[in-house]
């Protein structure tokens, strides 16, 4: 009989590193592909990266984190201040090959800690109806649905969690 154990590590990392960039591209490919119901081209990913830059996911008002499963980059996420006491999660992604292994919860734990370090008292996010795995993760992690706090073109559900 053999047992398999998995080990997640999640840490802040510049969004420009090769691993972070590859994960952001994978995130965009998945969310755009699910929205468009087709495979996304490399050119479309390039354009998406330009249309939705990650510049605000860096100190002093934001952070980006990368999660590694047994040393392999498999998740990422960003957090940024949208006002002095409110942070927003964005680009939260777990590679499909690593879903169900605790990576989403580990990612949120570190992102929330980064939010507290930025001075946030609460964290918000928006997501789409078709991203059912994400919505389930947020609900399991104590996020509650709230009224719309933005008018993003892809926002269909809004969540919030108190950090303090």
């Amino acid at each position: 009989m053999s047992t398999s154990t998995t080990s997640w590590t999640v840490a802040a990392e510049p969004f420009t590193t090769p691993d972070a960039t590859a994960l952001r591209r994978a995130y965009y490919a998945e969310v755009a592909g699910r929205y468009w119901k087709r495979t996304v081209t490399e050119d479309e990913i390039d354009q998406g990266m330009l249309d939705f830059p990650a510049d605000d996911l860096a100190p002093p008002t934001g952070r980006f984190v990368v999660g590694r499963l047994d040393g392999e980059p498999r998740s990422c996420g960003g957090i940024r201040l949208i006002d002095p006491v409110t942070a927003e999660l964005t680009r939260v992604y777990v590679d499909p090959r690593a879903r169900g292994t605790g990576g989403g919860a580990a990612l949120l734990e570190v992102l929330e800690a980064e939010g507290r370090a930025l001075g946030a008292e609460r964290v918000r996010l928006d997501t789409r109806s078709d991203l059912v795995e994400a919505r389930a993760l947020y609900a399991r992690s104590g996020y509650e649905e709230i009224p719309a706090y933005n008018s993003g073109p892809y926002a269909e559900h809004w969540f919030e969690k108190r950090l303090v």
Side-chain angles (χ1 to χ4, degrees):
M1 178 173 133
S2 74
T3 57
S4 174
T5 59
T6 56
S7 174
W8 278 97
T9 58
V10 181
E13 185 169 318
F15 65 84
T16 55
T17 68
D19 288 343
T21 299
L23 286 162
R24 287 189 303 116
R25 291 180 68 81
Y27 160 84
Y28 188 81
E30 179 167 352
V31 298
R34 285 171 78 160
Y35 185 78
W36 294 331
K37 297 178 175 43
R38 63 172 175 78
T39 301
V40 180
T41 68
E42 289 298 315
D43 287 343
E44 289 169 328
I45 295 170
D46 292 342
Q47 188 60 51
M49 299 283 281
L50 291 172
D51 291 346
F52 300 99
D55 299 345
D56 57 352
L57 302 179
T61 58
R63 301 285 188 281
F64 194 79
V65 302
V66 170
R68 288 180 168 77
L69 175 60
D70 296 329
E72 294 297 318
R74 293 285 184 252
S75 69
C76 67
I79 191 163
R80 61 181 167 224
L81 289 177
I82 57 175
D83 70 41
V85 296
T86 308
E88 182 179 48
L89 292 180
T90 185
R91 294 171 186 82
V92 175
Y93 173 75
V94 178
D95 185 307
R97 296 170 292 178
R99 291 182 186 156
T101 64
L107 192 65
L108 289 180
E109 183 179 328
V110 172
L111 285 166
E112 291 166 8
E114 293 288 349
R116 284 185 201 92
L118 291 169
E121 297 175 7
R122 65 181 170 224
V123 63
R124 290 180 172 173
L125 64 97
D126 66 65
T127 191
R128 298 192 325 242
S129 295
D130 63 317
L131 300 176
V132 293
E133 303 92 339
R135 290 184 14 245
L137 170 65
Y138 301 132
R140 282 193 314 272
S141 301
Y143 288 75
E144 296 181 359
E145 283 213 51
I146 60 170
Y149 69 90
N150 66 22
S151 58
Y154 305 106
E156 297 172 321
H157 297 270
W158 296 263
F159 289 85
E160 180 177 285
K161 181 178 180 178
R162 299 291 304 174
L163 295 178
V164 295

